[in-house]
Amino acid sequence: MPSVRFRLNGVEMDVDADPDRSLLDILRGQLGMTGSHFGCGAGECGACNVMIGDRAVAACDTPLWSVADKDITTIEGLGTPERPHPLQRAFITEQALQCGYCVSGILMSAAALLKRNPKPGSREVKEALDGNLCRCGSHNRMVRAVLRAADEMAAE
Amino acid sequence: MNQPAPSPSSPKLPVNLAANPKLSSWLKFSPQGQVTVSPGKVEIGQGIVTALAQIAADELDIDISRVQMIRASTAASPNEGVTSGSLSVQQSGRAMRHACAEVRQIFLQLASERLGVDIASLGVEDGTISGPGNVTTSYWELAEEVSLDRDATPDVKPKPATRRALAGNSVQRIDIPDKVFARARFIHDWALPEMLHGRVLRPQNARAKLTGLKDGNVRTIAGFVAVVRDGSFAGVVCETEHGAEAALQALRKGAVWADGEPLPDESDLAAFLKAAPSETTIIDKRTASSPGAKKRTLRRQYTRPYIAHASIAPSCAMAQWNGDRVHVWTHSQGVYLLRTDLALVLKLPAENIIVEHMEGAGCYGHNAADDVALDAVLLAKTTGGRPVRVQWSREAEMSDAPFGAAMAIEIEADLDAAGEIIDWRHSIWSNGHVARPGRAAQPALLAGFEVENPFPRMISTNPPQANGGGSDRNAVPLYDFPSWQIESHRLTTMPIRTSALRTLGAQGNVFAIESFLDEIAAERGEDPVAFRLRHLTDERAKDVIRAAAKRARWKPEKQPGIGYGIAFARYKNTGAYCAAVAEIEGAGDIRVRKLTLAVDVGEAINPDGVINQIEGGAIQATSWVLKERVRFDRQRITSTNWTEYPILRFSEVPEVEVELIQRSEMDPVGAGEAAHGPVSAAIANAVFDALGVCVRHLPITRENIIAAMEQAP
Ligand code: FES
Ligand code: FES
């Protein structure tokens, strides 16, 4: 089996697997990292979004071979309760979810946005999150939370 | 059930506590300073676990951080039936409050004996019990001496609302940090030791029978464990999820299916619903004492399509056999109810089955959670005791899970010479809205209809009006019309599987009633707010309408291309009051710019949690109204992905403002379903305001607007 190298949450990885398998499948299966969620498996919902460089991509729609030598961040690498990312803090403050299944993908889309554009307006936030579906209707709180995180990051 | 009715003066236990009277089944104390609380209700994204923790902390006088909430399981938890948005806080909260009040009293009694002081002089602060002369003890000190293995009694009175420290205040939901930090809380993210993965093969065409199955190269797939077949039920088990997916594809190639059963004509739902065999019930009738003189009759027909639950996660379950006992992990809304149905299918005593809850994605009613649990149980039979996890595909979730029922609604209003309503007749044609597990002599689980000796497919029924009704939910007018007749025709065939979806029939009925009212008001040249207020007597109803109207500055100046609409309902006619004002723009593709809502849920235990649910409900209803409709041809469901079944996106979501009218002296009622009806109708009324056309067939798409214009009036 060929192996594919990449950096995952800052750690060098070497994964032996069929390079045509999806990144999501590798993350959740082989690597046991279940923070990135399966929603549709077809690039249509954003539940599985991870960050590659400063772009959010659907891991279910990303073949393993395509991430060779790339820098991947998943929700597990975004922050921890001890060292939360400002987005995670803001989602708690704004109580910005209901069931929360969509949230890890949404946090990754938002994190990618803030990397590219640290001072987005609400229209830009909505655009950046437009590929993420939320069935519970928590959208407005999430947009507020992203704007709050951006403010906090600017103040830091 | 021949118990003598208690006399009205003797105190009664809350229903759920009476059914599960043992106090230790509700809560336990540890000497280390923790209280574990086990409700029979489950978290479905509505924050109920937090609300129940608040109630327990309040009643016991402890800090909420000492409360540990236990997931419901048939092994230990009280049986509280199903968790569906609107009744859960009401029923479970009352039972929890009462149980905690009594437990507090038991501790105080013992403390008074130990400390030698009068019980009335004792107070509790964060679990520390103290009395005059600085004598103290605590729950934790006394925990080992107190046995809660006793039945609750009706005599203890919980605290009055004014003495509660937490209820009524917004506290942060206790499940949110895990979800934000992606700590495995969802069933989807768990792995049991030695766990295998299963997938189930289902037909493309509706209800097609499996007539042949060649397993071809399935067995050569790495990690292959088993192919399972039982009648038309078939599936695979593999070491890995990836392997299970590959095996399923291989199995599909070798499957031969008979023809399925035909589906109705999607383009004329009303014709199908009205022609199908049905059973008629008169839901309510009011006769005028002095009937007015009829001048004319207006008659309108409304439809709402089948709507998918469309949870963002496909349903998932795990099961593990040990001899003739099985343990099931599920995101079902009712662990005991699911157990009942599993016992029926497996022909096992219920005691052999443990059903344990784990969180799933928001479900909004009876989705495939229960179905996939049986799938896992059947596949796990073949693995020699290793647990099997089964997850449905997106396609299965969108086509094999039950849908919210399509409805055709016809309303006739007789008007007198002054244009006042003197008689109102409302008829509904629809499948029943509930086919939940655990309530009938036959199971309601999908695989149960597919196995070799199948159970008959369950036909949905409607709960009685006393429980809020089903198709007829919210069909009885809340207005003071002098006479009416409400009639429901429940279909006795069910080509498309339906069961509980948020609000059952209320969304359709409120949409119809409130749309028609705006038409009648417009004919009279009367303002829709004034018209409604004039026909209501309940002050709480009027208050929400006035509050929403005021907050939305009803009615803003007319601008081209912009419309405003208002609508109101009291959910189930006995639950939460909600009024909504919608502001929309557009002529073909409608965009909802803003929703302004006022809500009265009685005592709001966690106000921010209530607002969160109302916002969510308002946005989901906007999605239903503007976009959603299950699509099918004559063979199969075709809306099996997010392209064919679009829902509202971030860029399309309206601004939502919610005003909460707090009434701490009133019993709390659920908020999860209050907004759907009013928001749906308010959007339709805003479209009428902007375009002068009544769209009576949901969803309000460009296509349906054009059709409505062609048919006007
Ligand atoms: S699971 Fe990847 S986009 Fe839906
Ligand atoms: S919070 Fe439930 S899907 Fe987004």
Side-chain angles (χ1 to χ4, degrees):
Chain A
M1 196 73 65
S3 87
V4 179
R5 295 170 142 271
F6 52 89
R7 271 169 80 85
L8 181 60
N9 299 328
V11 180
E12 294 291 342
M13 303 290 283
D14 214 337
V15 172
D16 280 335
D18 174 356
D20 286 334
R21 281 172 64 183
S22 75
L23 175 61
L24 182 65
D25 179 22
I26 301 295
L27 287 171
R28 293 186 57 89
Q30 210 146 324
L31 302 179
M33 294 174 66
T34 55
S36 311
H37 285 156
F38 178 92
C40 66
E44 290 192 330
C45 74
C48 64
N49 276 8
V50 300
M51 201 157 55
I52 301 185
D54 62 0
R55 298 274 148 191
V57 301
C60 72
D61 215 13
T62 302
L64 181 60
W65 60 261
S66 72
V67 303
D69 303 324
K70 296 273 169 63
D71 218 324
I72 303 172
T73 313
T74 66
I75 181 75
E76 287 89 349
L78 191 66
T80 59
E82 297 70 42
R83 293 176 54 89
H85 188 281
L87 279 166
Q88 290 167 313
R89 268 205 309 264
F91 269 63
I92 294 174
T93 308
E94 295 286 346
Q95 297 282 288
L97 54 102
Q98 286 193 44
C99 77
Y101 192 85
C102 63
V103 152
S104 48
I106 285 176
L107 286 169
M108 299 320 290
S109 295
L113 168 71
L114 296 184
K115 267 200 172 181
R116 301 191 306 273
N117 177 1
K119 276 213 165 101
S122 69
R123 177 189 291 260
E124 287 155 313
V125 174
K126 288 182 184 176
E127 264 166 33
L129 300 185
D130 216 36
N132 291 87
L133 299 179
C134 172
R135 185 55 163 160
C136 295
S138 306
H139 307 72
N140 290 336
R141 286 178 178 237
M142 291 173 173
V143 172
R144 278 205 298 278
V146 176
L147 294 172
R148 170 188 285 269
D151 282 348
E152 272 186 31
M153 286 163 83
E156 267 166 19
Chain B
M1 296 281 198
N2 240 337
Q3 283 174 0
S7 71
S9 57
S10 72
K12 270 196 301 185
L13 279 178
V15 184
N16 288 14
L17 189 55
N20 305 277
K22 200 187 271 185
L23 291 168
S24 59
S25 70
W26 294 86
L27 67 166
K28 292 194 176 72
F29 288 74
S30 78
Q32 291 76 37
Q34 299 285 323
V35 182
T36 50
V37 172
S38 326
K41 297 287 180 185
V42 302
E43 187 59 64
I44 51 175
Q46 83 285 48
I48 187 177
V49 166
T50 305
L52 293 173
Q54 274 181 286
I55 288 173
D58 249 344
E59 215 48 59
L60 293 168
D61 287 311
I62 55 174
D63 192 90
I64 194 167
S65 63
R66 294 187 185 272
V67 179
Q68 275 179 355
M69 300 299 288
I70 304 296
R71 293 185 277 115
S73 163
T74 59
S77 313
N79 181 353
E80 293 198 87
V82 69
T83 305
S84 47
S86 65
L87 278 177
S88 301
V89 183
Q90 217 172 330
Q91 299 169 332
S92 192
R94 225 181 268 153
M96 184 65 70
R97 184 168 275 156
H98 193 103
C100 291
E102 180 155 9
V103 167
R104 182 181 189 271
Q105 200 57 33
I106 292 170
F107 273 101
L108 286 182
Q109 185 64 46
L110 183 65
S112 123
E113 287 161 23
R114 287 286 178 284
L115 302 174
V117 296
D118 183 37
I119 187 165
S121 66
L122 291 172
V124 186
E125 208 185 314
D126 193 19
T128 299
I129 305 170
S130 50
N134 274 340
V135 289
T136 64
T137 177
S138 69
Y139 292 150
W140 335 113
E141 251 176 71
L142 301 175
E144 285 182 345
E145 289 175 63
V146 171
S147 167
L148 298 180
D149 284 330
R150 52 161 120 173
D151 285 358
T153 59
D155 311 306
V156 178
K157 262 221 177 83
K159 290 182 188 173
T162 45
R163 291 201 29 236
R164 294 177 198 144
L166 285 168
N169 294 313
S170 295
V171 305
Q172 295 205 331
R173 266 175 46 194
I174 52 190
D175 55 326
I176 286 186
D178 281 356
K179 292 171 176 177
V180 164
F181 293 111
R183 283 185 296 223
R185 201 176 167 105
F186 294 107
I187 188 170
H188 304 78
D189 300 338
W190 270 63
L192 297 165
E194 298 282 288
M195 187 173 80
L196 299 166
H197 293 268
R199 288 292 182 270
V200 175
L201 176 69
R202 293 224 148 84
Q204 285 219 312
N205 289 350
R207 299 176 190 182
K209 290 214 161 42
L210 184 62
T211 54
L213 188 66
K214 286 203 277 300
D215 48 26
N217 58 358
V218 176
R219 289 165 194 278
T220 64
I221 284 167
F224 170 85
V225 175
V227 167
V228 177
R229 174 159 182 208
D230 181 354
S232 285
F233 176 85
V236 288
V237 182
C238 255
E239 291 286 341
T240 64
E241 193 164 12
H242 171 71
E245 287 285 351
L248 178 65
Q249 280 187 28
L251 199 63
R252 191 174 296 289
K253 287 201 189 111
V256 186
W257 304 94
D259 283 347
E261 293 172 24
L263 299 183
D265 179 3
E266 191 209 359
S267 65
D268 198 351
L269 280 179
F272 152 67
L273 293 169
K274 291 173 91 167
S278 67
E279 168 194 283
T280 299
T281 313
I282 305 297
I283 300 298
D284 199 43
K285 198 170 164 58
R286 172 188 270 194
T287 320
S289 45
S290 51
K294 175 173 91 174
K295 179 80 187 303
R296 64 208 181 95
T297 299
L298 297 181
R299 183 160 163 270
R300 298 289 182 261
Q301 181 166 293
Y302 302 85
T303 59
R304 108 161 181 169
Y306 293 97
I307 297 177
H309 296 82
S311 294
I312 219 74
S315 294
C316 181
M318 298 180 288
Q320 182 168 27
W321 284 87
N322 179 2
D324 63 351
R325 304 184 157 261
V326 62
H327 194 137
V328 182
W329 292 263
T330 173
H331 54 102
S332 165
Q333 290 177 282
V335 286
Y336 282 93
L337 296 165
L338 172 57
R339 184 179 70 163
T340 302
D341 270 19
L342 290 174
L344 285 172
V345 177
L346 300 170
K347 303 189 172 59
L348 278 179
E351 305 79 66
N352 288 29
I353 306 169
I354 292 179
V355 180
E356 184 175 336
H357 183 262
M358 294 188 70
E359 282 180 52
C363 61
Y364 328 109
H366 174 202
N367 69 355
D370 300 279
D371 293 330
V372 73
L374 176 57
D375 291 350
V377 165
L378 294 177
L379 293 187
K381 270 184 166 176
T382 57
T383 62
R386 287 179 71 183
V388 175
R389 172 188 186 274
V390 178
Q391 181 176 294
W392 276 21
S393 65
R394 172 56 40 200
E395 292 70 29
E397 192 72 24
M398 303 293 252
S399 51
D400 297 331
F403 297 122
M407 304 169 76
I409 297 163
E410 212 168 84
I411 309 181
E412 286 180 344
D414 289 346
L415 306 181
D416 66 11
E420 294 288 355
I421 298 164
I422 55 167
D423 187 43
W424 180 269
R425 296 176 295 279
H426 181 133
S427 309
I428 309 148
W429 290 263
S430 165
N431 264 118
H433 285 247
V434 180
R436 282 192 185 275
R439 294 188 174 161
Q442 62 173 93
L445 308 173
L446 181 56
F449 316 140
E450 299 169 330
V451 290
E452 181 71 51
N453 294 308
F455 292 88
R457 287 193 187 257
M458 184 181 273
I459 310 268
S460 294
T461 55
N462 288 315
Q465 260 291 317
N467 299 349
S471 306
D472 49 311
R473 183 163 290 185
N474 272 96
V476 177
L478 293 154
Y479 300 98
D480 66 354
F481 309 146
S483 76
W484 62 54
Q485 173 154 318
I486 317 301
E487 186 172 287
S488 162
H489 309 273
R490 182 183 69 87
L491 270 57
T492 51
T493 56
M494 194 165 80
I496 292 184
R497 186 180 178 209
T498 65
S499 189
L501 171 71
R502 241 171 160 182
T503 83
L504 307 189
Q507 188 243 0
N509 289 318
V510 173
F511 159 68
I513 295 171
E514 294 287 300
S515 297
F516 198 12
L517 281 191
D518 263 36
E519 251 190 274
I520 295 172
E523 280 214 11
R524 296 174 46 84
E526 191 173 352
D527 173 70
V529 170
F531 183 80
R532 285 178 174 79
L533 291 176
R534 191 161 67 76
H535 284 287
L536 286 166
T537 48
D538 182 344
E539 286 304 320
R540 290 173 76 185
K542 292 191 198 177
D543 279 353
V544 290
I545 294 178
R546 285 190 285 243
K550 180 161 179 232
R551 186 137 177 175
R553 295 176 212 282
W554 186 267
K555 184 188 172 194
E557 278 298 299
K558 190 116 185 97
Q559 294 172 54
I562 309 260
Y564 299 90
I566 188 159
F568 156 78
R570 179 180 193 191
Y571 181 56
K572 282 187 183 177
N573 290 30
T574 55
Y577 296 82
C578 176
V581 174
E583 175 184 332
I584 65 105
E585 70 181 326
D589 296 314
I590 299 298
R591 181 185 166 76
V592 180
R593 303 213 308 187
K594 183 165 181 185
L595 296 169
T596 309
L597 295 98
V599 191
D600 168 357
V601 295
E603 179 191 19
I605 308 274
N606 187 356
D608 184 62
V610 168
I611 291 172
N612 196 351
Q613 281 195 68
I614 294 289
E615 285 173 3
I619 291 171
Q620 188 175 73
T622 306
S623 182
W624 288 6
V625 168
L626 295 185
K627 315 198 99 160
E628 296 187 34
R629 163 191 190 192
V630 172
R631 310 300 307 259
F632 43 92
D633 59 24
R634 304 310 289 265
Q635 277 92 42
R636 62 185 198 96
I637 306 293
T638 55
S639 50
T640 60
N641 57 46
W642 294 117
T643 306
E644 300 296 325
Y645 192 92
I647 62 172
L648 210 64
R649 291 180 174 277
F650 271 90
S651 57
E652 300 166 321
V653 162
E655 186 189 331
V656 182
E657 267 190 37
V658 180
E659 182 160 325
L660 188 61
I661 301 179
Q662 224 350 335
R663 300 202 190 262
S664 54
E665 71 291 355
M666 302 288 204
D667 267 344
V669 292
E673 295 159 295
H676 286 71
V679 164
S680 300
I683 294 172
N685 289 341
V687 171
F688 178 42
D689 182 51
L691 306 179
V693 58
C694 294
V695 184
R696 301 192 190 98
H697 304 290
L698 297 177
I700 303 180
T701 54
R702 172 181 289 267
E703 191 189 354
N704 279 346
I705 292 174
I706 294 171
M709 284 176 164
E710 282 166 358
Q711 277 166 18

